[in-house]
Amino acid sequence: MTADALRSPVPVVRGDTSLPAGYRHPHASEEARRIAEQGTILRVQVGSGVHGTSISGQDDRDEMGICLEPPQYVTGVARVPAGTGAESHLVEFEQYQRHTVWDRPGGLANRSGAGDLDVVIYSARKWAKLALAGNPTVLLLLFVPDAEVVHRDEAGAELVENAHRFVSQLSAGRFLGYLSAQRAAMTGESGAHTNRPELVAVHGYDTKYAMHALRLGFQGVELLTTGRITLPVPEPERAYLRAVRRGEVPFDEVVAAIDDAEQRLIALRTSSSIAAEPDRAWVDDWLHRSYLRHWSRS
């Protein structure tokens, strides 16, 4: 019997799909909020909390989800306002994005911190395009433990059960790209920047970017060798990542560890044991069936 056959079915989780009220952001109109709330099929916690790398009192809560929009936004030409108060400026519905830190003085310029919620609910079509291209951020949604699931209906459960269909050599390239970007920000390379100068002042480098670069290396290698991402990050890697974030690991050692993970990803990118492309046919079929089922119920 295969490992897939032994795996327990993905349970449905009926949770709260409500979202913070609209805002003057291009993807935060009240209409977009209603579409996201009413069509949510999957919503989970992502970010440091689910990775197990958060530091007490320092982290916001990041959530990501997928929704099925009404037919006029898929087969028609319907648009949504580009944020509250922008009814004359219409955009395609791709996502609802909201940070609660925007509600404080400073608005969109504010940086999220402890106690804040950052949530994005993607159109299923946009999410699928990103996932098929191997985007590490959106792929994570498929591997979150049940305890961190806010809402998951039958369509969301079916998607999670078929997470392996998104794994391909394209994923290796995307993980490499994200790792390189985080490392560039960590080291202050030309063209990169950090928005955490307080970490640089204390540790000599941005330890949060360093932790994320190394995490991407660990998780990319695991995904490409097993077809899964374990969350939270298993030990001893999790403890090492937390030590990096706290600034307890020397800069040169961190760079060497990131370089090692990068070389492993480079080798996997051309491995014959990994599919060159994801299973686009299955994803097309899932999208088609899920949208039709949702519309018939609505």
Side-chain angles (χ1 to χ4, degrees), residues 71-148:
Q72 61 268 34
Y73 296 91
V74 179
T75 63
V77 294
R79 301 291 186 268
V80 296
T84 56
E87 283 68 22
S88 63
H89 183 195
L90 303 179
V91 296
E92 290 187 17
F93 175 79
E94 294 186 325
Q95 66 209 55
Y96 182 75
Q97 183 175 340
R98 187 68 161 85
H99 297 192
T100 56
V101 71
W102 295 344
D103 295 325
R104 297 203 288 272
L108 294 171
N110 291 334
R111 218 172 89 195
S112 295
D116 294 317
L117 170 66
D118 295 351
V119 58
V120 56
I121 307 295
Y122 288 108
S123 151
R125 293 177 302 137
K126 178 173 182 178
W127 179 89
K129 291 176 183 177
L130 294 171
L132 286 168
N135 182 297
T137 304
V138 304
L139 283 174
L140 189 73
L141 184 148
L142 300 175
F143 304 104
V144 171
D146 293 345
E148 303 296 347

Side-chain angles (χ1 to χ4, degrees), residues 64-281:
M64 182 184 297
I66 301 172
C67 72
L68 300 167
E69 61 268 45
Q72 61 268 34
Y73 296 91
V74 179
T75 63
V77 294
R79 301 291 186 268
V80 296
T84 56
E87 283 68 22
S88 63
H89 183 195
L90 303 179
V91 296
E92 290 187 17
F93 175 79
E94 294 186 325
Q95 66 209 55
Y96 182 75
Q97 183 175 340
R98 187 68 161 85
H99 297 192
T100 56
V101 71
W102 295 344
D103 295 325
R104 297 203 288 272
L108 294 171
N110 291 334
R111 218 172 89 195
S112 295
D116 294 317
L117 170 66
D118 295 351
V119 58
V120 56
I121 307 295
Y122 288 108
S123 151
R125 293 177 302 137
K126 178 173 182 178
W127 179 89
K129 291 176 183 177
L130 294 171
L132 286 168
N135 182 297
T137 304
V138 304
L139 283 174
L140 189 73
L141 184 148
L142 300 175
F143 304 104
V144 171
D146 293 345
E148 303 296 347
V149 173
V150 177
H151 177 81
R152 184 169 61 206
D153 72 2
E154 291 81 1
E158 182 185 2
L159 184 66
V160 171
E161 286 176 345
N162 287 274
H164 60 282
R165 297 182 185 275
F166 291 87
V167 182
S168 73
Q169 292 175 0
L170 298 179
S171 305
R174 286 305 174 97
F175 270 88
L176 278 166
Y178 274 56
L179 180 152
S180 297
Q182 296 285 330
R183 179 174 54 193
M186 173 193 79
T187 58
E189 292 179 20
S190 177
H193 71 279
T194 175
N195 63 353
R196 290 180 284 269
E198 69 279 5
L199 296 180
V200 178
V202 174
H203 305 296
Y205 66 100
D206 190 315
T207 56
K208 192 169 183 179
Y209 275 129
M211 182 271 291
H212 282 307
L214 193 53
R215 173 187 59 77
L216 284 161
F218 290 156
Q219 292 178 333
V221 170
E222 181 187 12
L223 178 68
L224 292 162
T225 54
T226 71
R228 305 286 303 172
I229 294 177
T230 303
L231 293 170
V233 176
E235 299 290 6
E237 288 85 359
R238 190 195 324 170
Y240 190 72
L241 290 174
R242 289 171 63 85
V244 169
R245 183 169 178 183
R246 290 192 297 263
E248 298 168 359
V249 182
F251 176 79
D252 290 345
E253 181 181 330
V254 174
V255 172
I258 294 171
D259 287 345
D260 178 67
E262 181 181 45
Q263 291 306 309
R264 295 184 67 188
L265 283 171
I266 289 172
L268 288 166
R269 185 169 53 183
T270 55
S271 172
S272 59
S273 64
I274 300 170
E277 293 281 336
D279 191 344
R280 299 179 191 276

Side-chain angles (χ1 to χ4, degrees), residues 45-69:
Q45 181 186 182
V46 292
S48 296
V50 77
H51 294 295
T53 58
S54 62
I55 302 298
S56 178
Q58 295 185 19
D59 290 289
D60 56 1
R61 178 180 172 90
D62 295 304
E63 292 183 2
M64 182 184 297
I66 301 172
C67 72
L68 300 167
E69 61 268 45

